[in-house]
Amino acid sequence: MQNPSTVSQDPIPAFDLVTQLSHFAFNRKFHLSNSDGFSSFKPNFVRFAPFRGSVNRRRAVSFSLNANIRNSTASGIGRIVNEFNRVIKFHCDRIPIGFASVRVGSGESNGMSEDGCGVLEVEGLPLNGVENGSPKKVLILMSDTGGGHRASAEAIKAAFNEEFGYEYQVFVTDLWTDHTPWPFNQLPKSYNFLVKHGSLWKMTYYGTAPRVVHQSNFAATSTFIAREVAKGLMKYQPDIIISVHPLMQHVPLRILRAKGLLNKIVFTTVVTDLSTCHPTWFHKLVTRCYCPTSEVEKRALKAGLKPSQIKVYGLPVRPSFVKPIRPKVELRRELGMDEDLPAVLLMGGGEGMGPIEATARALGDALYDENLGEPIGQVLVICGHNKKLANKLLSIDWKIPVKVEGFITKMEECMGACDCIITKAGPGTIAEAMIRGLPIILNDYIAGQEVGNVPYVVENGCGKFSKSPKEIANIVAQWFGPRADELKAMSQNALKLARPDAVFKIVHDLHELVRQRNLVPQFSCTT
């Protein structure tokens, strides 16, 4: 079995990527300065125009990105990098890039009338705020880069409906796919391609981790998508915005800041990674950052968030997992499984990826006692949308009971019918398995965000890690035989780490934030 301590996160040099992004961000021609005070960009030169009321004051920051680096000394390169960092920070903190086309009223009122009241608009779309008696609106930002983000979004939506009913209207949108132009709306497809080619994804993940890289990237990107994203956000007229994706903080918050809405709309982040997570998850302007574990909390503090901004509640999973579990015998009967044999759940995600067939065949051999001529366990295989895999498994003449299912919506029942689970290191599946007290065998992980999930499971005594189908099958056979005590101990450890009420704590805290924010007098001049 592979030692989880061998899983590493070797950083990848990102100097070439920094250079490309710096040219991308600044070697462009943008809108000229206008009455809104937004900047005029010219190739290789940055100049910030003054705001109203500061006619006699002018700030100019200029530098050349076409310096002859080959003839520069090391200190010269350092000065260029420092100047680049300083300008990016100044740009992000003081003047949002690309918002000249996103008008908010006129003058300095930021969309409000002189008496501080009025209706905020984006291209004719009103933002009236909360009216007495009307439901508050929650907008959840996600992207289908893996199934975990949508699962968390749907869990939060379901919890709002269960706890508050018609008091809240909850909308879930894929911000990049639905509200950005090409090529930015191809993000999910790009992610799937990169993940299938592991080295490319590893380079992308670690290469964009440095602040100088992702800040300049967001700065350049917002120039092209700010207008569409602003329209996408404001058409919902949200009182709460919840991001469940690392790329859903920076651009929306820049828009809210430019429109003077940071103190009017509650913006929160729900981190859906259990241990290792990308730095873009964390933004200092969020009202609240919900972390699933203390490890993620430490990363949030290191990124500059204040303790008052952070809550550690756990990973949000479907409210159905909180409900009392029915007896295994009853669940197995409904699923058409053997009622008495111990069962292992074999999963490959929504797309049925990974070495499922090889692992199932190995389990078929390991869970059959040749001496007794009978099985010592059974297998429940979830193939997701992979119909070809399901048909292949159904055609095999198994020596043990093997139940093959396609895409499942009631995962809590499948987990409740089994005694352990084999899966890749997805955070959502791990959190759900712990709630059900299932020992976990991890057979794979995605470089970057899932690397830390392996030691999180193994070092907490909740499971094991191996990529070998034969070794995995032997572990299960031992658990169903002479090492049944180890299986029981790991089940208890999993239950100790489980946080089944996380999603309810999150929605109740959001409800309290809205109540404290007291949106009505800030939005409506008729109140």
Side-chain angles (χ1 to χ4, degrees), residues 157-291:
K157 180 179 180 179
F160 265 112
N161 291 336
E162 284 196 18
E163 295 297 290
F164 302 105
Y166 295 106
E167 191 174 346
Y168 286 92
Q169 285 183 318
V170 184
F171 307 93
V172 178
T173 184
D174 187 330
L175 187 66
W176 289 89
T177 299
D178 299 337
H179 302 293
T180 63
W182 187 91
F184 304 100
N185 58 7
Q186 302 299 305
L187 178 65
K189 294 181 179 179
S190 301
Y191 172 81
N192 293 334
F193 173 81
L194 292 171
V195 168
K196 289 179 180 178
H197 300 78
S199 59
L200 292 179
W201 171 245
K202 189 175 181 180
M203 181 181 299
T204 302
Y205 184 90
Y206 293 115
T208 57
R211 185 182 298 272
V212 64
V213 178
H214 64 249
Q215 278 199 351
S216 59
N217 194 6
F218 283 123
T221 301
S222 63
T223 303
F224 299 98
I225 69 174
R227 183 171 184 170
E228 289 78 7
V229 171
K231 290 171 66 175
L233 293 176
M234 293 306 124
K235 80 174 184 179
Y236 294 99
Q237 303 180 43
D239 304 296
I240 305 172
I241 297 178
I242 306 170
S243 168
V244 294
H245 194 279
L247 301 184
M248 299 294 170
Q249 278 75 237
H250 295 258
V251 175
L253 280 168
R254 290 161 68 85
I255 291 171
L256 296 183
R257 178 176 58 186
K259 297 175 66 57
L261 297 177
L262 284 178
N263 294 324
K264 301 176 179 66
I265 295 178
V266 175
F267 192 104
T268 64
T269 298
V270 177
V271 182
T272 60
D273 289 326
L274 289 175
S275 180
T276 46
C277 50
H278 200 271
T280 51
W281 270 114
F282 309 113
H283 198 294
K284 296 179 182 179
L285 294 181
V286 298
T287 309
R288 188 80 85 222
C289 180
Y290 299 103
C291 299

Side-chain angles (χ1 to χ4, degrees), residues 3-11 202 206 276 445-448 450-452 454-455:
N3 192 328
S5 63
T6 61
V7 180
S8 62
Q9 302 180 67
D10 298 329
K202 189 175 181 180
Y206 293 115
T276 46
Y445 59 88
I446 297 176
E450 290 183 358
V451 169
V454 175

Side-chain angles (χ1 to χ4, degrees), residues 426-445:
T429 303
I430 291 174
E432 292 173 348
M434 287 180 173
I435 292 174
R436 284 291 176 255
L438 293 183
I440 307 165
I441 300 178
L442 300 176
N443 60 2
D444 202 1
Y445 59 88

